Amino acid sequence: MSETAEYPALILRRGEERRLRAGHLWVFSNEVDVAKTPLTAFQPGDPVIILDHSGKPLGSGYAHPNTLICARLVDRAGHTLDRSLIVHRLKIALSLREKLYAEPFYRLVFGESDGLPGLTVDRFGDIVVAQATTAGMERLRDEITEALLKVLNPSALVWKNDSSARAMEGLPESVQIVHGRLPDRVTVRESGVEFVCDLLEGQKTGWFYDQRGNRDRLQPYVKGARVLDMFSYLGGWGLRSAAFGASAVDCVDASARAVDGIRTNIALNGFSERVEAHVADAFDFLKAARNERRKWDVVILDPPAFVKRKKDFKEGALAYRRLAEAGMQVLERDGILISCSCSHHMPREALLDGMQQGARHLDRFMQVLEPLSQSPDHPVHPAIPETEYLKGYITRVLPV
């Protein structure tokens, strides 16, 4: 492990260390004793030792003077933020994923939950995609690259730094292959189903591993069923449904590029006779299907975040409710509705309440069969509610 760091101090106001001692990793700008340690003395990403008001060290981390979260705690023992520390954290993260999955297709690092706040790392076999969303992790990019090469020895390493979160940290967007070269086709495999992913221009880091565990639970609901997969991206839910024995699947996405990807994956897995892909806005497609009296046995709703900020809650919650109601309108009389939200600011109870309101408005009776959450390669940090963002429900919708 690294030696104890000798970094500039960032001193908190009296009593403001309680949240950190309880396990949180963030320091907000109003918690800093700026008389003793003015934030203007730091540059974005500067390493620091965080001290309580009495001068007792709380650990090493990094600062950002221009953001609401003005510092993040990385190591409570106060070790230097260097390659050695990152190698240690990567090995701990890897040991969990190797217990969970037989093949190297997973999220290896989930930011704060894996002790590396501001860093995301996904594995696609022997290809690694990393993303830094904070100035502190951007400052450590070379050390992270070296650590990933040492621990994983990948054939290729991509830094996909195109997240909108970087703008809040004053960071430019970029996508770079920093080691090796990408093959013509990169695939991710889930329970024998293969999906071609675009690691350079695709959404997020190229694939949504957070829903994998939920897709694994589809079999009893989709076997022999007609399935509608909305916001399909590359066909994750739909093609997994086909592999579990669905009789017919429709995958819908507003992106023509994504639908081209779905069609590639349909052909790759030999599902052309049972799966179709459509370019359409979700609400427009559902409205047209209702007007045409089309019905499915299972409707899956996995939209992008409708509540990106707390102030968007009212409008976003209404959008989730409208979507759930539209999904129910194309369900068979005894159908399965799967509805999800990846919005941290959309509480689980509010999602379910909107679904229930939609059911009652249509004079339908809804039964909750299974709650859904993010896959275990996205572990929840119990002191940081923001790390628990994905929620959903598998429900049965019946006539009254």
Side-chain angles (χ1 to χ4, degrees):
M1 281 288 291
S2 312
E3 296 181 354
T4 302
E6 295 184 6
Y7 294 144
L10 184 71
I11 302 174
L12 303 186
R13 295 166 58 193
R14 187 180 302 279
E16 298 293 358
E17 77 283 355
R18 292 176 190 148
R19 200 165 36 79
L20 292 185
R21 292 198 189 283
H24 214 295
L25 303 180
W26 298 351
V27 176
F28 293 97
S29 56
N30 63 354
E31 297 171 338
V32 176
D33 188 335
V34 293
K36 293 181 178 178
T37 52
L39 288 172
T40 52
F42 301 100
Q43 295 296 314
D46 273 357
V48 295
I49 291 292
I50 301 170
L51 308 177
D52 69 11
H53 185 72
S54 67
K56 186 174 181 179
L58 297 168
S60 53
Y62 57 81
H64 198 307
N66 306 323
T67 56
L68 177 62
I69 303 173
C70 71
R72 285 173 167 86
L73 180 64
V74 178
D75 188 73
R76 293 184 183 277
H79 289 125
T80 304
L81 309 185
D82 60 10
R83 189 186 84 152
S84 176
L85 176 64
I86 297 163
V87 165
H88 178 66
R89 295 286 162 86
L90 290 178
K91 287 180 177 179
I92 293 173
L94 181 61
S95 69
L96 170 64
R97 278 67 178 186
E98 289 182 335
K99 290 177 183 177
L100 295 171
Y101 304 108
E103 296 182 290
F105 298 97
Y106 44 70
R107 174 147 294 179
L108 174 64
V109 174
F110 182 48
E112 281 80 352
S113 294
D114 284 300
L116 292 168
L119 179 66
T120 297
V121 180
D122 282 352
R123 289 191 77 180
F124 296 82
D126 62 353
I127 297 168
V128 175
V129 178
Q131 187 174 87
T133 55
T134 61
M137 282 296 147
E138 180 74 12
R139 183 85 69 93
L140 291 168
R141 198 175 96 151
D142 290 345
E143 289 84 349
I144 295 167
T145 296
E146 292 172 5
L148 287 168
L149 296 179
K150 176 179 175 64
V151 174
L152 301 176
N153 190 28
S155 64
L157 171 58
V158 178
W159 275 100
K160 196 169 189 299
N161 286 330
D162 58 357
S163 168
S164 59
R166 288 174 62 88
M168 293 186 291
E169 296 268 327
L171 299 173
E173 294 186 9
S174 66
V175 178
Q176 294 176 292
I177 302 171
V178 297
H179 171 76
R181 60 182 299 273
L182 291 180
D184 294 335
R185 175 175 284 190
V186 176
T187 59
V188 60
R189 192 159 47 245
E190 284 190 11
S191 299
V193 183
E194 293 194 342
F195 301 87
V196 176
C197 301
D198 186 345
L199 302 189
L200 299 181
E201 297 185 35
Q203 296 179 28
K204 303 295 183 178
T205 54
W207 185 245
F208 291 92
Y209 282 120
D210 54 1
Q211 288 281 21
R212 176 180 180 167
N214 297 328
R215 292 189 286 259
D216 289 344
R217 299 158 82 168
L218 282 170
Q219 184 168 10
Y221 305 106
V222 301
K223 189 173 183 180
R226 291 162 296 162
V227 177
L228 176 60
D229 173 18
M230 303 299 302
F231 308 95
S232 188
Y233 183 42
L234 296 177
W237 290 92
L239 270 66
R240 291 292 306 275
S241 296
F244 280 136
S247 61
V249 179
D250 289 286
C251 297
V252 181
D253 200 279
S255 165
R257 184 185 185 92
V259 170
D260 285 342
I262 297 171
R263 290 172 178 154
T264 295
N265 293 330
I266 290 170
L268 177 64
N269 291 280
F271 292 148
S272 298
E273 294 184 1
R274 289 187 289 140
V275 185
E276 293 186 23
H278 313 268
V279 181
D281 171 81
F283 287 98
D284 290 345
F285 182 92
L286 291 169
K287 182 179 179 180
R290 184 184 72 235
N291 292 337
E292 296 165 11
R293 300 185 182 278
R294 297 183 66 190
K295 300 283 185 179
W296 288 265
D297 303 300
V298 179
V299 173
I300 301 165
L301 308 173
D302 185 16
F306 288 158
V307 188
K308 293 184 177 180
R309 296 164 298 181
K310 198 170 184 178
K311 67 178 184 178
D312 299 330
F313 171 75
K314 186 175 181 180
E315 183 179 350
L318 179 60
Y320 283 114
R321 181 205 153 158
R322 287 180 54 229
L323 181 62
E325 189 169 323
M328 292 177 197
Q329 289 176 316
V330 299
L331 263 183
E332 288 290 358
R333 286 172 59 82
D334 182 354
I336 298 295
L337 178 72
I338 301 174
S339 185
C340 302
S341 169
C342 60
S343 303
H344 163 68
H345 295 294
M346 181 67 183
R348 176 177 290 277
E349 298 76 14
L351 178 66
L352 183 59
D353 184 57
M355 297 169 69
Q356 171 66 0
Q357 289 179 32
R360 294 310 307 133
H361 188 250
L362 298 175
D363 204 22
R364 303 283 292 268
F365 170 59
M366 187 178 72
Q367 297 172 317
V368 175
L369 307 182
E370 298 188 52
L372 302 177
S373 58
Q374 62 217 49
S375 298
D377 56 349
H378 293 63
V380 173
H381 191 307
I384 307 178
E386 292 82 359
T387 62
E388 185 175 13
Y389 67 97
L390 184 64
K391 71 281 297 183
Y393 293 94
I394 300 176
T395 63
R396 183 188 188 197
V397 183
L398 297 156
V400 175

